[in-house]
């Protein structure tokens, strides 16, 4: 048994991760009923537009603004979550935020605090550790800052995983428990630093758990440990 498993805080994180995973598995059977829920009897139709079931790409100006970080050479601002009821739109923006950083513009602590602001206020569904784990450690951040390193992101596409859309049809009402959606996002991360303005670029793909209750805008629940195609 690993030391982490005997640590109370570690065990708590593991339980939270398991709960998040369970919530996502549960909502795999609920997406098909979302449109009906949002539109039936006109309830919440003006506040919660029907999510896109097909894949989406940031081709429109509004989507591009939400899903892409500042271009190379510009000092990035801390990421701010969009106000939307669409898990696809929120997932694209969240992925761009998670794949971006700028050691020239803010500290590691400030970035951590900003990203935690994307998380749902429902602590039992908020997997903070999965988000914190994507931010470089303080020691590494200090080394990166010495070189002026920064990363920008461009989201190419986002969609509900096939397993999500297929399994949802079995129980349309299941989503009303947690309203957590799995959203898989793909794109590119570009890294640059002093003396290397173009740096390098690599493909990125991740599956996020997004909570979108009809009564309030979407929030991030966590980052899944494995990508759901």
């Amino acid at each position: 048994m690993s030391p982490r498993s005997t640590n109370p805080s570690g065990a708590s994180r593991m339980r939270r991760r398991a709960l998040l995973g369970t919530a996502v598995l549960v909502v795999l059977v609920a997406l098909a009923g979302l449109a009906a829920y949002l539109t039936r009897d006109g309830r919440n139709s003006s506040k919660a537009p029907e999510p896109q079931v097909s894949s989406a790409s940031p081709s429109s100006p509004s989507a591009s603004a939400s899903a892409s970080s500042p271009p190379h050479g510009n000092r990035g601002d801390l990421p701010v979550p969009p106000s939307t009821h669409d898990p696809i739109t929120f997932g694209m923006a969240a992925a761009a935020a998670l794949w971006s950083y700028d050691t020239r513009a803010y500290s590691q602590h400030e970035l951590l605090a900003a990203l935690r602001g994307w998380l749902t206020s429902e602590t039992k569904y908020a997997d903070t550790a999965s988000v914190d784990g994507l931010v470089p450690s303080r020691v590494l951040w200090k080394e990166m800052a010495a070189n002026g390193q920064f990363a920008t992101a461009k989201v190419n596409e986002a969609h509900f995983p096939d397993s999500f859309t297929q399994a949802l049809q079995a129980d349309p009402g299941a989503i009303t428990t947690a309203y957590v959606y799995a959203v898989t996002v793909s794109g590119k991360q570009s890294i640059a630093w002093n003396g290397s303005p173009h740096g390098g670029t690599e493909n990125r793909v991740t599956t996020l758990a997004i909570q979108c209750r009809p009564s309030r805008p979407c929030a991030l629940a966590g980052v899944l440990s494995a990508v759901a195609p």
Side-chain angles (χ1 to χ4, degrees), residues 13 16 29 36 92 148 153 156 172 175 179 184 192 206 216 222:
R13 287 194 295 270
R16 185 177 292 110
V29 298
M92 292 165 67
N156 295 327
I175 201 170
Y179 282 98
T184 296
T206 189
R216 58 178 182 265

Side-chain angles (χ1 to χ4, degrees), residues 3 6 10 26 41 48 61 63 101 114 127 144 173 188 191 197 199 202 213 223:
T6 61
V26 169
D41 300 328
Y101 59 82
D127 187 2
M144 292 162 54
K188 294 181 181 295
I191 300 176
E202 64 176 19
R213 290 195 182 277
V223 182

Side-chain angles (χ1 to χ4, degrees), residues 14-174:
M14 292 175 66
R15 286 194 296 270
R16 185 177 292 110
R17 181 70 60 84
L19 179 59
L20 175 63
T22 300
V24 171
L25 289 176
V26 169
V27 299
L28 288 180
V29 298
L31 182 59
L34 179 65
Y37 176 81
L38 294 177
T39 57
R40 67 187 181 192
D41 300 328
R43 184 169 65 179
N44 294 324
S45 61
S46 62
K47 296 183 179 180
E50 178 181 338
Q52 303 173 39
V53 176
S54 60
S55 61
S57 62
S59 56
S60 66
S62 58
S64 297
S66 298
S68 298
S69 60
H72 281 299
N74 292 346
R75 291 181 182 267
D77 295 326
L78 286 166
V80 177
S83 180
T84 177
H85 291 268
D86 185 346
I88 293 290
T89 298
F90 189 91
M92 292 165 67
L98 292 169
W99 297 341
S100 305
Y101 59 82
D102 192 342
T103 65
R104 307 165 303 170
Y106 41 75
S107 68
Q108 185 255 17
H109 177 74
E110 289 174 323
L111 178 57
L112 275 175
L115 291 176
R116 288 175 182 176
W118 289 62
L119 287 164
T120 173
S121 59
E122 297 183 44
T123 55
K124 68 178 181 179
Y125 296 121
D127 187 2
T128 306
S130 68
V131 173
D132 290 354
L134 298 180
V135 177
S137 68
R138 290 185 179 182
V139 173
L140 180 56
W141 186 277
K142 184 177 181 179
E143 296 176 356
M144 292 162 54
N147 295 319
Q149 185 168 318
F150 62 99
T152 57
K154 180 176 178 58
V155 170
N156 295 327
E157 182 269 347
H159 65 276
F160 296 120
D162 289 342
S163 56
F164 196 95
T165 58
Q166 292 169 4
L168 293 169
Q169 299 174 1
D171 186 2

